[in-house]
Amino acid sequence: FDPKKSCIIEYGLNSNNRKLVSKKNKKIINIVMVGRLISWKNHSIIIEHLKDLNFFNFIKRNHIKFTIYGDGPLYNQYINKIKKFNFDDLISLKRNVTNTNDIYDQADILLHPSLFEGYGLVAIEAMSFSKPVICNIGLGMSSSIEKISKYLVIDINSSESLTNAIVYTLKNYFLLSKKSYNYFINNHSIKLMAQKYKNIYEKIENN
């Protein structure tokens, strides 16, 4: 392997001329999770954390809502857990999503709690809408999110870590939104990806 003869091309996404959005959508903070409802996606961790009453020492219950977009074999299990702990006002599940643009338009923060993952397209999509991403440690995207802020990469098993990350994000929302969007533009825009491929082909032709 010769690093001089290699080139890393990040996944590119068409932003459809979206522009930086630098303020939260509304008084109720909407934290979204996107993905198939299977165990390693780890969406159920939020139910466990909300059972920890210390969570609401820092964030008022009527000021936050979690929305999980996706479907899968654990759908009914999650519904039953939400009802069991009376979290209907805090967590909602939405299946059969056809337009992800609507998800990020309505979101304030993307939470990515997977136990393991490749890069995670949802993170790129969220950043293209200038939405901050909080993710678990050790994921493919973790090193990228750390470049925006090390406080956004957490041990998802810790209720305290999640709480601190949410509070930090809300206190620094404008800055993190701007840095998330700029990271997308500078690393994951479709124009950038196309230009890198073009450069490679031109280099091959010239050799």
Side-chain angles (χ1 to χ4, degrees), residues 150-168:
K150 64 180 181 180
Y151 300 109
L152 298 178
V153 180
I154 63 171
D155 177 2
I156 199 64
N157 292 312
S158 167
S159 176
E160 181 180 3
S161 294
L162 176 60
T163 304
N164 290 342
I166 294 173
V167 171
Y168 168 79

Side-chain angles (χ1 to χ4, degrees), residues 189-201:
S189 69
I190 195 72
K191 290 182 179 179
L192 180 63
M193 184 181 73
Q195 184 60 50
K196 286 185 175 181
Y197 275 115
K198 181 181 178 182
N199 292 343
I200 289 175
Y201 288 125

Side-chain angles (χ1 to χ4, degrees), residues 38-53:
I38 50 181
S39 59
W40 61 268
K41 288 290 188 179
N42 204 29
H43 296 112
S44 63
I45 193 68
I46 194 59
I47 300 174
E48 301 303 318
H49 287 331
L50 292 180
K51 288 159 56 179
D52 180 359
L53 296 180

Side-chain angles (χ1 to χ4, degrees), residues 13-22 123-133 148 173-189:
L13 187 68
N14 190 345
S15 61
N16 295 320
N17 297 318
R18 290 192 285 273
K19 296 181 179 180
L20 173 64
V21 179
S22 58
I124 303 174
E125 292 174 337
M127 288 188 286
S128 78
F129 280 86
S130 64
K131 307 299 181 178
V133 178
I148 297 169
Y173 196 83
F174 172 77
L175 175 62
L176 294 175
S177 294
K178 184 177 181 179
K179 290 181 72 174
S180 298
Y181 181 77
N182 287 340
Y183 187 85
F184 164 77
I185 291 297
N186 293 327
N187 294 276
H188 293 292
S189 69

Side-chain angles (χ1 to χ4, degrees), residues 37-79:
L37 305 185
I38 50 181
S39 59
W40 61 268
K41 288 290 188 179
N42 204 29
H43 296 112
S44 63
I45 193 68
I46 194 59
I47 300 174
E48 301 303 318
H49 287 331
L50 292 180
K51 288 159 56 179
D52 180 359
L53 296 180
N54 290 329
F55 186 89
F56 297 108
N57 289 338
F58 302 92
I59 302 171
K60 293 183 179 180
R61 182 174 176 132
N62 61 344
H63 286 178
I64 194 166
K65 185 175 181 64
F66 294 87
T67 307
I68 303 173
Y69 293 90
D71 201 354
L74 297 181
Y75 181 85
N76 289 332
Q77 179 180 318
Y78 290 172
I79 287 291

Side-chain angles (χ1 to χ4, degrees), residues 101-119:
N101 288 356
D102 291 340
I103 295 176
Y104 301 113
D105 276 335
Q106 298 168 18
D108 295 302
I109 300 170
L110 173 74
L111 176 62
H112 201 72
S114 293
L115 298 175
F116 51 89
E117 187 90 44
Y119 193 87

